[in-house]
Amino acid sequence: KTTKVDQKAESGRSPWQQQGEGLHQGVWLKLEIWAKGGLVCSAKAAPRASAAISAAMATGEAMASAPGRAALSYMMCGVEVSPHC
């Protein structure tokens, strides 16, 4: 079983990246799982979430239109997110 520490060591960096869409004030990290029609390498950090998303994609109904992405978010207390969508 691969741990988060193992994954960080393999890639040299954490699979969690700063959310960069400019929608917030504070610390908001994301773990991207699905993008551009498939699982991305950081999906290995969340195998159960990746399996669930893959199963949903197999139906052909999920993520049919842009932006077609799935990610987990981690927000520190006090984050303020601007209204969007």
Side-chain angles (χ1 to χ4, degrees):
K1 183 176 177 180
T2 304
T3 67
K4 290 179 189 175
V5 173
D6 294 333
Q7 289 158 357
K8 185 174 180 180
E10 287 173 12
S11 69
R13 64 186 179 114
S14 172
W16 288 91
Q17 302 297 312
Q18 290 187 19
Q19 206 289 351
E21 295 179 17
L23 300 171
H24 69 288
Q25 297 282 326
V27 177
W28 179 1
L29 302 177
K30 69 176 180 176
L31 176 70
E32 193 169 55
I33 296 175
W34 183 275
K36 299 179 183 175
L39 291 171
V40 297
C41 62
S42 57
K44 294 176 186 175
R48 290 183 179 160
S50 298
I53 291 167
S54 292
M57 299 310 159
T59 68
E61 298 174 19
M63 302 289 190
S65 60
R69 297 180 299 187
L72 298 177
S73 286
Y74 176 79
M75 294 181 183
M76 295 294 290
C77 292
V79 169
E80 295 182 19
V81 179
S82 300
H84 60 284
C85 292

